[in-house]
Amino acid sequence: MTLNPRTMNSRSSASLLFALLFLVSSATAQIRGARGTPPRTQSLTSVRQQQIARIVQEIDARNIERTIRKLVSFGTRNTLSTQSDPNRGIGAARDWLFSEFSKAAERSGGRMTVEKQTFEQPKAARVPQPTMVTNVVATLKGTQPESSGRTYIVSGHYDSMCTSPTDATCDAPGANDDASGTAAVLEMARVMAKYKFDATIVFMAVAGEEQGLLGSTYAAEQAKQKGMDVEAMFTNDIIGSSLGGNGVRDAHTIRVFSEGVPSSEKPEEATVRRGVGGENDSAPRQLARFIKETGERYVPAMRVMMVYRRDRYLRGGDHIPFLERGFAAVRFTEPNEDYRHQHQNVRIENEVQYGDLPQFDDFNYIANVARVNAASLAALALAPARPKNVGLLTTRLTNDTDLKWDPNKEPDLAGYEIVWRDTTSPVWTNARAVGNVTSFTVKGMSKDNYFFAVRALDKQGNKSPASFPHPVR
Ligand SMILES: [Zn+2]
């Protein structure tokens, strides 16, 4: 009944490679067509897939390198550093990023707007006096009225620190932590601004991460207070190096951290989770599975290593304030970190170079991580919303599985798929299209023995992440 995931993976990567080759050749055909002969008729499916393939292709490691070197040139980007010097400190970095995102917006035909989201942070553990903190936020508005409220956020933090988080004057190049994530987000904004998506994508460079996730906390709280429909949030933090402190070189793996038990879980929700065995099926985990499936399809050079944890062991990042407010969020980080190059004063000690310097970044690797992000964001923002109010009916005692859900509202909706897996499988292994219906009975398969979920499909074949059902009595 279940496919072996190993076999499935190799089979699907072969067919995906084939699909990509086809896309490249049909794109060529279209260009030739524009020069003379009538353009070849494209199915919408291939047009949409071509858009994602083009975005992946247009992400350029040279732009990422330029951004990182520019950010490093500000000397320090500590949140407590000067905000008025045009050449040094976080204020200079903020203004430069604002102007770069604004340049990206010029390519969007008015669909992308850029703002500085500024607030005064009161005194806190790592903030000795009240400090203005600014996030630079570029919003690319979705073009489908039914979907433009649906929002996907991608972020990196542009602040940095040396050994002491409150030292505002020491050199803190932060080339990896987190100029790498910031540069990836800026490059995605530049490339994606000229493309249209059904849903809205927000590209964000936040500050105050090293001071206690201040910028992201403010952004998450604003999103919650405004009632924004944030369907996913990605933070990219320390995505800069393919060489770990353990000597392992791995330029083909990106870790995606997703929590299982929700940070925002209420006691009654915990009772339900225990009752249905839902600890591996939170919305962030469905998002991680979606990123693995999509990222590896469009960027075959990369392996998405899902880590079933909120973050690294006892550590944190900008996705956590979003998780705490009930939004699905994940963290991207390189596979092997090198702690000599994180939160360290730049110095040589016993012939070892310490400090977060650009010479330890791998710009091609960062570009590939940006491609995995961009393909996943594009696929999310082109696809229908994940089905809402998915219920598993417990009204009759049966070996069948009865599912129901609310209808999606997108005009290009094609229908739904039921996905399932063995309870011990980390990923969905099976899918069955069931048409444009809002309930379905999986005959002869017991909800006791498999996990089930539902995803939505549009007429171009774009698929939403899966929605895990709640029990309905
Ligand atoms: Zn960081």
Side-chain angles (χ1 to χ4, degrees), residues 157 177-178 209-210 237-238 331 343:
H157 71 86
D177 187 8
D178 183 31
E209 196 271 352
E210 307 290 9
D237 196 352
I238 314 179
R331 176 188 181 119
H343 306 178

Side-chain angles (χ1 to χ4, degrees), residues 112-129:
M112 183 184 273
T113 50
V114 187
E115 56 160 339
K116 289 179 184 168
Q117 184 182 61
T118 303
F119 62 99
E120 189 181 70
Q121 172 63 40
K123 251 176 94 158
R126 291 182 169 194
V127 184
Q129 58 212 11

Side-chain angles (χ1 to χ4, degrees), residues 206-372:
V206 302
E209 196 271 352
E210 307 290 9
Q211 255 52 37
L213 314 178
L214 305 181
S216 57
T217 299
Y218 185 81
E221 186 58 29
Q222 289 292 111
K224 189 185 165 190
Q225 283 178 17
K226 288 178 188 161
M228 279 172 69
D229 177 18
V230 179
E231 288 275 283
M233 186 272 185
F234 301 176
T235 182
N236 285 271
D237 196 352
I238 314 179
I239 58 162
S241 176
S242 53
L243 179 62
N246 53 5
V248 176
R249 166 79 68 187
D250 180 356
H252 301 288
T253 301
I254 178 68
R255 287 185 291 173
V256 173
F257 291 84
S258 64
E259 74 176 9
V261 175
S263 292
S264 63
E265 189 177 69
K266 297 181 186 83
E268 59 273 24
E269 293 167 336
T271 304
V272 171
R273 171 177 53 77
R274 284 189 289 265
V276 305
E279 63 274 6
N280 266 318
D281 283 279
S282 64
R285 194 139 295 165
Q286 309 304 349
L287 185 60
R289 292 180 181 123
F290 182 92
I291 293 166
K292 182 169 180 66
E293 205 175 311
T294 311
E296 292 181 356
R297 176 184 310 155
Y298 286 98
V299 194
M302 294 298 281
R303 178 177 76 106
V304 174
M305 175 185 174
M306 291 192 294
V307 183
Y308 279 9
R309 277 202 169 106
R310 185 170 70 170
D311 202 317
R312 300 146 307 153
Y313 204 83
L314 292 178
R315 297 174 75 190
D318 286 324
H319 56 313
I320 293 179
F322 284 85
L323 290 169
E324 287 170 343
R325 286 160 183 79
F327 300 121
V330 295
R331 176 188 181 119
F332 289 74
T333 297
E334 65 195 23
N336 299 284
E337 291 171 72
D338 189 334
Y339 306 105
R340 292 169 302 185
H341 307 138
Q342 287 180 23
H343 306 178
Q344 294 283 348
N345 286 340
V346 178
R347 68 189 189 281
I348 293 171
E349 209 174 277
N350 300 326
E351 293 172 19
V352 175
Q353 177 73 64
Y354 288 83
D356 192 353
L357 296 163
Q359 71 211 53
F360 303 114
D361 273 348
D362 176 342
F363 305 110
N364 290 317
Y365 172 74
I366 301 167
N368 271 336
V369 177
R371 290 179 182 114
V372 171

Side-chain angles (χ1 to χ4, degrees), residues 132-194:
M132 300 307 284
V133 177
T134 300
N135 301 327
V136 182
V137 183
T139 302
L140 181 60
K141 190 88 181 145
T143 55
Q144 187 177 72
E146 294 81 359
S147 300
S148 60
R150 179 159 48 98
T151 302
Y152 300 97
I153 301 177
V154 61
S155 87
H157 71 86
Y158 71 97
D159 64 309
S160 66
M161 64 178 272
C162 44
T163 305
S164 159
T166 51
D167 186 336
T169 55
C170 57
D171 276 342
N176 190 351
D177 187 8
D178 183 31
S180 65
T182 306
V185 171
L186 177 57
E187 179 63 0
M188 281 183 247
R190 186 191 71 83
V191 170
M192 294 171 83
K194 67 173 193 282

